[in-house]
């Protein structure tokens, strides 16, 4: 029995490590120092190219993938083992070979441009090695599912002329396939890799800086102060804290492992059963990918894919994100009411106001990021400035801490501002100015012990950011194979036609088919890969059926996230089980139930795009928002079996039916749903009042 438990714990740990590589290995000696140095160099390269644009975008993509592969082969072994304390020589060989392949575009950039479309033998050999290394790296991180799914498209491109059943195409030679995958911007270095190298890495690094600076404690203290004392307060703290973490960290599993270390034990201490506590944290943490301004990696890819500013995607996601976290909050409130779970004593809850007063400076980089994103600046620029601002605040706060009188502290910040203004007048670009100020703040930190400790924190944040970008980046490179082959063969349009045919032209049927595809794919794929695949296959079908472009992509994005809560894989549940020590399958099923109300939102957005701020007046937006809130309230009551009083099976079916009428948005369905809701509320009010009247 003990051996089985150890094996299960090992599998959970491996699954978490694949999603959160910052803690994947405890290297010793030379290997530890070397891997740490590679991670720091990776982040330095990304910041340097983002701020100074010294090389072409193709070189940035190729070197980015080279670094990703080098880190993958050092962090992850050929076989998943419980511990990895040394890097074998053959993994060093593979990693350095992969990095060398990544430099090929830098060394031979001019020659590759001159012979574009006509690769020589060396190009083909290097390209074949690059493709093989990407597949092996993805296998080590994510297992076999995604590499197999992407790999079948290569023989499809090569032998398509021999296929039956309408799948045939003219077929392509090996040199054309390798040219597409390695030497163009359609394969390994396609849009997903471009977004990974340009935006995603910077925002992951930004989140790593804020986490190391103490943002998790700030969010936890604010959440405790706001709702910790309320009914079911610990679970509500988990929802709010994870929602706030979502503003800086778009990784659901990482959120579970950070906020969950605090919230899950807290929920268990106040009466929540372990599986439910883990499910609440998993549900809330996965919503971090929906929460602007950072959202998940797939949101950046979505913006690039559909050709809109990232700020437009973030704005469209705002109301669905509020509804998602509102539904999770409502579900834990109902669970607390049904089980009579109380909150923390008021005197054990910190002051939310005091927490903000003490940690206000941590909010400044986030506020600057939001301002830049929604003022028309690119995510690349916003990410660079956000990282520089966070580093400057961390370093400057440490220096100020050594200064006694308040007047001198104020004078220090005034002096910093004056130096920045002087550099601006000298003609420094904003990005150059920002990092020059960081360098100037590093110098005094070298002179005293507390400053050197802060510099260590900054460097560790840089390394953590690089490690946490590995899984997403490798997935982006591998899925580029699928996208490149589908583009080359024209298969994407065939898939879209098939979905339309299977649905018989019925939009609801097409939506259900798409939802099932997203969830099935998501049981074995990361969210980013899931979105890219379904956006290539299913979103065009929805578009041809009249669903607006951004709405169709938001639909598949939303259900790709929900897939990470769905058993049998349920990575977020796996992460939570490592903390609450409950069965991850049980956590996954409960999380699916807690998140059940969230399934309402994407369908409502399709039938009424005002929910994602696509067309319609503010009055229309307000109406659909209220309608969604009522639908979620009813759906939550039907799922939990409690509203103001416990619900029978008939009452739960009635509430679910009323919620469904809000979703379908056919003539008179809204009116009927509102009437059913009023009758439901009156009935619940009467039931709640009866015991009171009897007691009187």
């Amino acid at each position: 029995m003990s051996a089985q438990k150890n094996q299960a714990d090992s599998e959970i740990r491996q699954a978490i490590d694949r999603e959160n590589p910052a803690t994947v290995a405890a290297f010793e000696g030379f290997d530890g120092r070397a891997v740490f140095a590679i991670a720091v160099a990776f982040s330095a390269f990304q910041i340097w190219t983002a701020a100074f644009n010294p090389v072409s975008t193709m070189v940035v993509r190729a070197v980015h993938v080279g670094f990703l592969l080098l880190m993958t082969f050092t962090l992850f072994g050929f076989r998943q083992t419980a511990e990895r304390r040394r890097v074998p020589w053959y993994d060093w060989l593979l990693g350095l070979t992969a990095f060398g392949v990544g430099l090929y575009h830098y060394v031979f950039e001019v020659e590759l441009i001159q012979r574009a479309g006509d690769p020589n033998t060396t190009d083909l050999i290097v390209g074949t090695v690059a493709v093989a290394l990407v597949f092996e790296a993805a296998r080590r991180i994510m297992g076999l599912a995604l590499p197999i799914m992407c790999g079948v498209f290569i023989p499809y491109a090569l032998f398509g002329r021999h296929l039956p059943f309408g799948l045939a195409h003219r077929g392509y030679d090996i040199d054309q396939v390798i040219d597409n995958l390695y030497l163009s911007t359609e394969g390994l270095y396609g849009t997903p890799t471009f977004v990974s190298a340009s935006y995603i890495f910077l925002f992951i690094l930004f989140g790593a800086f804020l986490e190391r600076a103490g943002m998790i404690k700030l969010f936890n203290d604010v959440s405790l102060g706001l709702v910790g004392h309320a009914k079911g307060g610990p679970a509500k703290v988990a929802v709010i804290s994870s929602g706030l973490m979502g503003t800086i960290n778009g990784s659901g599993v990482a959120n579970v492992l950070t906020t969950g270390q605090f919230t899950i034990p807290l929920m268990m201490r106040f009466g929540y059963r372990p599986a439910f506590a883990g499910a609440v944290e998993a549900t809330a943490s996965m919503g971090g990918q929906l929460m602007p301004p950072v959202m998940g990696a797939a949101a950046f890819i979505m913006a690039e894919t559909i050709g809109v500013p990232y700020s437009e995607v973030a704005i469209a996601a705002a109301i669905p994100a509020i509804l998602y976290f509102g539904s999770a909050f409502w579900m834990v409130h109902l669970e607390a009411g049904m089980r009579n779970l109380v909150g923390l004593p008021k005197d054990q809850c910190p002051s939310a106001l005091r927490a903000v007063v003490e940690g206000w400076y941590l909010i400044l980089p986030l506020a600057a990021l939001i301002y830049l994103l929604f003022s028309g600046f690119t995510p690349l620029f916003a990410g660079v400035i956000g990282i520089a601002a966070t580093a400057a605040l961390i370093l400057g706060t440490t220096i100020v801490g050594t200064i006694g009188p308040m007047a001198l502290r104020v004078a220090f910040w005034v002096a910093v501002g004056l130096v920045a203004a002087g550099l601006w007048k000298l003609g420094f670009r904003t990005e150059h100015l920002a990092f020059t100020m960081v360098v100037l703040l590093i110098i005094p930190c070298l002179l005293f012990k507390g400053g050197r400790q802060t510099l260590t924190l900054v460097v560790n944040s840089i390394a953590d950011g690089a490690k946490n970008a590995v899984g997403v980046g490798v997935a982006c490179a591998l899925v580029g194979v699928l996208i490149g082959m589908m583009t080359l063969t024209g298969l994407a349009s065939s898939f879209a036609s098939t979905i339309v045919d299977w649905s018989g032209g019925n939009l609801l049927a097409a939506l259900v088919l798409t939802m099932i595809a997203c969830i099935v794919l998501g049981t074995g794929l990361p969210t980013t890969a899931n979105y890219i695949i379904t956006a290539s296959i299913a979103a065009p079908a929805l578009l041809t059926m009249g669903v607006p472009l951004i709405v169709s992509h938001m639909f598949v994005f939303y259900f790709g996230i929900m897939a990470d809560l769905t058993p049998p894989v349920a990575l977020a549940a796996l992460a939570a089980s490592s903390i609450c020590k409950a069965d991850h399958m049980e956590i996954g099923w409960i999380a699916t139930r807690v998140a059940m109300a969230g399934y309402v939102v994407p369908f409502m957005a399709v039938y009424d795009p005002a929910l994602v701020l696509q067309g319609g007046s503010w009055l229309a937006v307000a109406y659909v928002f209220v309608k969604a809130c009522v639908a979620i309230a009813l759906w939550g009551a039907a799922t939990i079996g409690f509203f103001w009083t416990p619900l029978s099976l008939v009452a739960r079916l009635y509430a679910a039916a009323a919620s469904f009428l809000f979703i379908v948005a056919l003539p008179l369905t809204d009116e009927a749903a509102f009437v059913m809701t009023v009758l439901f509320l009156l009935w619940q009010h009467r039931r709640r009042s009866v015991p009171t009247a009897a007691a009187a």
Side-chain angles (χ1 to χ4, degrees), residues 136-507:
E136 170 58 15
R139 184 199 65 81
R140 293 189 180 200
I141 297 175
M142 290 164 276
L144 287 171
L146 185 59
I148 290 174
M149 185 176 297
C150 295
V152 297
F153 285 87
I154 295 178
Y156 173 75
L158 292 172
F159 307 112
R161 63 173 65 90
H162 305 297
L163 295 176
F165 309 122
L167 294 173
H169 58 84
R170 72 179 187 85
Y172 295 89
D173 295 330
I174 185 65
D175 59 334
Q176 293 173 295
V177 170
I178 297 300
D179 182 62
N180 178 276
L181 292 179
Y182 180 67
L183 299 173
S184 75
T185 55
E186 295 292 338
L188 299 181
Y189 308 134
T191 298
T193 296
F194 165 72
V195 177
S196 174
S198 301
Y199 309 148
I200 296 172
F201 189 98
L202 294 178
F203 280 82
I204 291 175
L205 189 57
F206 174 75
F209 267 103
L210 284 181
E211 286 182 31
R212 285 272 187 172
M215 189 63 102
I216 297 173
K217 183 180 184 303
L218 174 61
F219 286 158
N220 285 340
D221 287 349
V222 169
S223 304
L224 274 170
L226 290 175
V227 299
H229 59 281
K231 181 197 298 184
K236 294 175 180 177
V237 168
V239 174
I240 294 179
S241 182
S242 295
L244 292 172
M245 276 299 295
T247 63
I248 66 168
N249 183 344
S251 169
V253 173
N255 280 356
V256 173
L257 295 173
T258 50
T259 59
Q261 296 288 349
F262 168 74
T263 58
I264 291 176
L266 184 66
M267 284 186 272
M268 292 165 60
R269 183 156 61 94
F270 279 84
Y272 284 95
R273 52 205 165 99
F276 189 86
V280 169
E281 181 57 47
T283 303
S285 292
M286 289 311 300
Q289 297 180 75
L290 288 168
M291 179 61 74
V294 175
M295 302 179 64
F300 293 94
I301 296 172
M302 185 195 306
E304 196 67 29
T305 300
I306 65 179
V308 301
Y310 173 75
S311 58
E312 189 171 329
V313 173
I315 290 171
I319 292 179
I322 293 170
L323 292 172
Y324 181 92
F325 283 100
S327 70
F329 191 92
W330 174 243
M331 298 290 268
V332 300
H333 177 78
L334 294 177
E335 178 80 9
M338 184 171 67
R339 299 181 182 274
N340 197 29
L341 299 174
V342 298
L344 284 74
K346 186 77 171 176
D347 58 358
Q348 292 186 19
C349 297
S351 167
L353 180 60
R354 179 181 292 276
V356 172
V357 169
E358 293 177 353
W360 64 271
Y361 62 93
L362 293 174
I363 302 173
L364 293 179
L366 184 59
L369 183 77
I370 294 171
Y371 171 78
L372 292 172
L373 283 174
F374 291 93
S375 296
F377 292 94
T378 65
L380 183 68
F381 179 83
V384 167
I385 299 303
I387 291 170
T390 308
L393 273 173
I394 294 171
L395 297 170
T397 303
T398 300
I399 296 170
V400 163
T402 65
I403 301 174
M406 178 60 70
L408 290 178
R409 297 184 181 190
V410 173
F412 170 81
W413 286 115
V414 171
V416 169
L418 291 174
V419 171
L423 293 174
W424 176 268
K425 283 191 172 293
L426 290 175
F428 276 59
R429 281 179 52 186
T430 306
E431 304 97 309
H432 304 171
L433 167 62
F435 283 104
T436 300
M437 295 304 301
V438 172
V439 172
L440 292 176
L441 290 170
I442 287 174
I443 295 171
C445 284
L446 292 169
L447 304 178
F448 60 98
K449 184 178 179 181
R452 290 191 292 273
Q453 290 175 341
T454 301
L455 289 175
T456 300
L457 180 147
V458 170
V459 175
N460 286 336
S461 300
I462 290 173
D464 284 352
K467 291 177 183 177
N468 285 334
V470 169
V472 173
V474 171
C476 287
L478 181 62
V479 175
V481 173
L482 182 147
I483 303 300
M485 294 299 92
M486 289 182 68
T487 302
L488 188 67
T489 61
L491 187 60
S493 58
S494 300
F495 271 124
S497 300
T498 301
I499 291 175
V500 174
D501 292 341
W502 283 1
S503 65
N506 182 281
L507 179 58

Side-chain angles (χ1 to χ4, degrees), residues 65 69 98 101-102 125-135 182 188-189:
V65 173
L69 297 181
V101 168
I125 293 172
V126 174
T128 303
V129 171
V131 173
L133 289 172
V134 167
F135 272 88
Y182 180 67
L188 299 181
Y189 308 134

Side-chain angles (χ1 to χ4, degrees), residues 591-605:
T592 303
R593 191 183 74 176
V594 172
M596 189 63 71
Y599 284 86
V600 172
V601 175
F603 281 93
M604 294 189 74

